[in-house]
Amino acid sequence: MYLTRFRFNTARTGARRLLTSPQILHAAVMQSFANVPALPDGNSPRVLWRLDRNANNQVLLYIVSPDRPDLTHIVEQAGWPTTGSWDSFAYAPFLDKLTAGDIWTFRLTANPVHSIRTRDGEPTKRTAHITVRHQLGWLLKQQERAGFTICEQPKELPRPTDMDEYQVVVHDRRSLDFTKKDPARSSKINNVQILTVTYDGRLRIDDPDKVRAVLTTGLGKAKAYGCGLMTLAPAQ
């Protein structure tokens, strides 16, 4: 497994093209591998990616993948071809040292959704959580299955609402709207709408194996479009 980081040169036309279309960026990421990655079965490592738009106007692309990627084509389109590059790190040593009880800061961009049924007898429909409260609730519901617990705020700090109970911030809400060809009917174009949010916070590892699975297979839906990739960093 590899963790890769690349910085976009946002002044370039190619960068703007990639950053405004999750479908085009997904294709560019997948083209970074000489051998086409096998289709994931839900339990095996897969190619995950995420865009981080930082406060200093840096836009970073993170990729977690079973194989080391070659981002030459992305550098040529959207980076600094003569002075810029990308960094890839072996991920296994980091994953192997995860231990129950450890505290980490985390970042996750996800597509928090739930299934609803408007009428009895109708099939359920996947719908995005719109409010911050429900988006946080979605993350809290993932905890047990994902093997971690979101840290609570220290008891001495005020908690005006239940939203202030946890050490997590929900931000950077974005609506992605694009078209996609129907693989079953090549002439049909589907309109796709995906709501994404980013979570920054602190967590405690309860089950290291489950957390390793989340870090390598993703969390939630819309993984092909920049969702599901969680990264950890040492807690301050």
Side-chain angles (χ1 to χ4, degrees), residues 113-118 122-128 193:
V113 297
H114 63 127
S115 295
I116 62 172
R117 179 181 286 110
T118 55
E122 289 187 350
T124 59
K125 179 182 179 181
R126 188 180 299 165
T127 305
Q193 292 183 321

Side-chain angles (χ1 to χ4, degrees), residues 4 10-11 24 26 29 33 44 47 62 68 91 93 123 127 131 142 156 173 184 188 190 210 213 216-217 222 225 229:
T4 300
T10 55
I24 294 175
H26 168 70
V29 169
F33 303 94
S44 60
V47 177
Y62 286 91
R68 186 189 296 271
Y91 210 20
T127 305
T131 67
Q142 312 303 312
E156 61 270 18
R173 302 168 64 197
K188 184 178 180 181
N190 293 327
K210 288 183 178 180
T216 56
T217 65
Y225 302 114
L229 172 55

